[in-house]
Amino acid sequence: MNSPIDTFIRAEVVSFTRDPGDDDLPQSGSLEHYGDGLLWLKGSHVHAVGHYGDISQQLPSGAHVIDYRGKLIMPGFIDTHVHYVQLDIMASYGRQLLDWLNDYTFPEECRFANHAHAEALSNAFLDEMLRAGTTTAQVFGSSHPGSVDAFFTACQKRQLRMLVGKVLMDRNAPNALMDGVSGIADSERLIQDWHGNGRLGYSVTPRFAPTSTKMQMDAAGALLRNDPSLWLQTHLAENSGELDWVAELFPGSRDYLAVYEEAGLVGPRSTFAHGIHLDNGMRKRLADRGANIAFCPSSNLFLGSGLFDREAAKQTGMAFTYASDIGAGTDLSGFGTLKAAYQVGQLGGQPLTAWQGFYGLTHGNAKALSLDTHIGQLAPSYEADFVVIDPHATPLLTRRIQHCTTLGERLFALMMLADDRAIYETWANGQCQHQRD
């Protein structure tokens, strides 16, 4: 058996070991920062990381070091909630959530009955994700099982760590999208074929309570009970009209969250997208069960859904993550997500530091998805998923960076001004999978 290939990259390195806190400076021990760093890969994993002056003494004779001084390496960005099947309806004229679903989303998702279309969109979406520096995501397919087969196949070819699921919906949708009695059986087959296959994981995916009968949600809960290694993703409390609809459909449930609780869908591997219109009791119940809310700021602003309350989440101990959503989201870039999150925070008197933002986008998101023993940090034995960021990607960034005197200022400038042009390279599983033109 061949020995893994050594790769050596010299650059500035930033990686979080734990939550940095909310202060202007990160808490002691939460940040690894090497101004002149060296990242040493052995095959698909990180072998060593540290100061160049220290690690360079250990390199084998004649080692070729990729010199990216002036650039910044961070762990690959993680997106906890995104619909790949909505790529082509991004930037469709704004409606409120329920109108937007009927006008744009459902007609678009009907196209994924065609396997060739699903294959093409899977690859186009992954190209865009890698261009944006995102190496892992939790992804909605359509209700067609072929949409998930196509996406998993494309991910496996690129050796990406991804979570994906087939949408379950057996009511209140076009006939062409409803999966009826086959939805759970199709999910079981997909789980058998793909869950735990390489770097892939399956996320059980009821779209949201209004489009699944109680019978279907109960069956989804049974899938989770039968295999605790599965993930769960759905939507919760995004829009006030949605809350009213859920109350009409489930008059016997105390609130929206209870609908999911009664089906056994709330646990430590559960992600609920949006969670804007929650009370503290619901937040505490989510916290007690270890579930997380995927905060999708650009989508929430675009659809006028409301402002996510980060402070209430922290006070109740409810975990939250950062996500792009699309197609209602306006940006696949993690930079764009953090920029919108900062703006949402400012409107609520809850400023977001760059430390919190980039921790959330990397280690924080990995931890919430129970993936933090594999990804989210640059440390020995971790999978080699990372981005090489060019702080001088645009003339404006260059001007701004020249006026920054601290790492915090530079990271904040990137958070507010960078886009996919600042992603010089994206590496996944120890391979460079995107390089800027």
Side-chain angles (χ1 to χ4, degrees):
M1 184 175 179
N2 293 332
S3 299
I5 297 173
D6 288 308
T7 304
F8 311 97
I9 307 176
R10 184 177 184 179
E12 184 175 10
V13 178
V14 168
S15 178
F16 292 91
T17 59
R18 57 181 173 83
D19 191 326
D22 294 319
D23 295 335
D24 290 343
L25 293 176
Q27 292 182 0
S28 176
S30 64
L31 175 70
E32 299 285 347
H33 175 227
Y34 306 104
D36 184 9
L38 184 69
L39 182 62
W40 180 348
L41 313 182
K42 276 193 177 291
S44 60
H45 288 73
V46 175
H47 175 67
V49 60
H51 295 290
Y52 176 79
D54 296 336
I55 300 183
S56 61
Q57 308 302 315
Q58 308 168 28
L59 301 189
S61 176
H64 171 66
V65 178
I66 301 171
D67 190 347
Y68 283 162
R69 279 176 286 180
K71 295 181 175 60
L72 171 66
I73 292 178
M74 296 183 71
F77 300 155
I78 300 167
D79 191 337
T80 60
H81 172 71
V82 61
H83 298 256
Y84 99 84
V85 292
Q86 296 178 9
L87 182 68
D88 284 351
I89 58 169
M90 288 181 72
S92 296
Y93 175 69
R95 296 278 197 276
Q96 290 288 300
L97 169 67
L98 300 180
D99 292 334
W100 196 86
L101 286 173
N102 289 317
D103 291 348
Y104 301 118
T105 303
F106 290 159
E108 175 63 20
E109 292 188 9
C110 287
R111 301 174 67 197
F112 286 81
N114 182 311
H115 193 72
H117 179 73
E119 287 181 328
L121 263 291
S122 294
N123 283 296
F125 175 84
L126 292 176
D127 286 345
E128 291 299 324
M129 271 193 45
L130 293 166
R131 186 193 315 279
T134 300
T135 52
T136 291
Q138 184 168 227
V139 181
F140 273 57
S142 72
S143 58
H144 310 96
S147 70
V148 175
D149 286 314
F151 193 80
F152 270 135
T153 298
C155 293
Q156 191 172 60
K157 287 179 180 177
R158 306 184 196 216
Q159 300 179 350
L160 300 176
R161 183 167 285 284
M162 288 283 168
L163 309 178
V164 193
K166 185 202 93 66
V167 165
L168 294 166
M169 49 194 307
D170 63 352
R171 65 170 175 174
N172 294 328
N175 288 333
L177 290 181
M178 289 193 291
D179 53 13
V181 295
S182 69
I184 295 297
D186 288 336
S187 299
E188 289 175 326
R189 194 272 299 168
L190 289 165
I191 291 165
Q192 183 174 4
D193 287 353
W194 294 107
H195 183 58
N197 186 342
R199 304 180 77 205
L200 304 175
Y202 195 85
S203 197
V204 178
T205 310
R207 178 175 225 109
F208 67 157
T211 51
S212 285
T213 58
K214 185 179 187 304
M215 181 180 297
Q216 186 175 66
M217 286 198 291
D218 287 345
L223 292 177
L224 298 177
R225 287 191 297 275
N226 290 336
D227 186 350
S229 71
L230 293 166
W231 284 264
L232 179 284
Q233 58 179 349
T234 187
H235 298 82
L236 172 67
E238 178 179 1
N239 171 279
S240 56
E242 171 198 4
L243 266 68
D244 294 338
W245 193 16
V246 171
E248 292 175 9
L249 292 170
F250 298 90
S253 297
R254 62 187 281 198
D255 55 34
Y256 194 165
L257 177 60
V259 174
Y260 294 129
E261 290 172 328
E262 291 157 5
L265 300 179
V266 186
R269 288 179 172 239
S270 301
T271 298
F272 296 91
H274 308 296
I276 297 170
H277 303 281
L278 300 174
D279 60 34
N280 279 344
M282 297 165 78
R283 294 185 181 101
K284 185 65 167 59
R285 282 150 55 198
L286 287 163
D288 289 344
R289 289 173 171 82
N292 80 90
I293 292 290
F295 173 27
C296 306
S298 72
S299 171
N300 300 155
L301 293 171
F302 180 76
L303 289 179
S305 300
L307 306 178
F308 180 74
D309 192 338
R310 287 176 24 249
E311 190 57 37
K314 291 177 182 177
Q315 289 176 358
T316 54
M318 184 187 76
F320 62 91
T321 53
Y322 294 89
S324 67
D325 192 14
I326 81 155
T330 56
D331 210 320
L332 272 170
S333 168
F335 297 126
T337 294
L338 294 186
K339 177 180 179 179
Y342 174 81
Q343 293 167 333
V344 168
Q346 288 294 87
L347 289 170
Q350 302 173 7
L352 177 70
T353 67
W355 312 116
Q356 273 290 336
F358 284 108
Y359 162 77
L361 204 59
T362 55
H363 187 190
N365 276 5
K367 183 177 180 181
L369 292 177
S370 301
L371 293 174
D372 53 314
T373 58
H374 302 287
I375 58 173
Q377 294 186 59
L378 298 175
S381 81
Y382 274 72
E383 294 166 0
D385 290 3
F386 59 92
V387 289
V388 181
I389 298 169
D390 180 4
H392 304 283
T394 67
L396 180 59
L397 259 179
T398 297
R399 292 186 66 88
R400 182 66 189 94
I401 292 294
Q402 287 173 344
H403 290 276
C404 295
T405 58
T406 66
L407 174 63
E409 289 177 346
R410 287 188 288 127
L411 291 178
F412 187 77
L414 287 169
M415 191 167 95
M416 301 307 294
L417 296 177
D419 54 28
D420 62 338
R421 292 171 293 179
I423 302 298
Y424 184 74
E425 288 179 347
T426 304
W427 290 60
N429 210 41
Q431 301 290 324
C432 181
Q433 305 224 18
H434 163 73
Q435 186 171 51
R436 188 181 69 197
D437 294 335

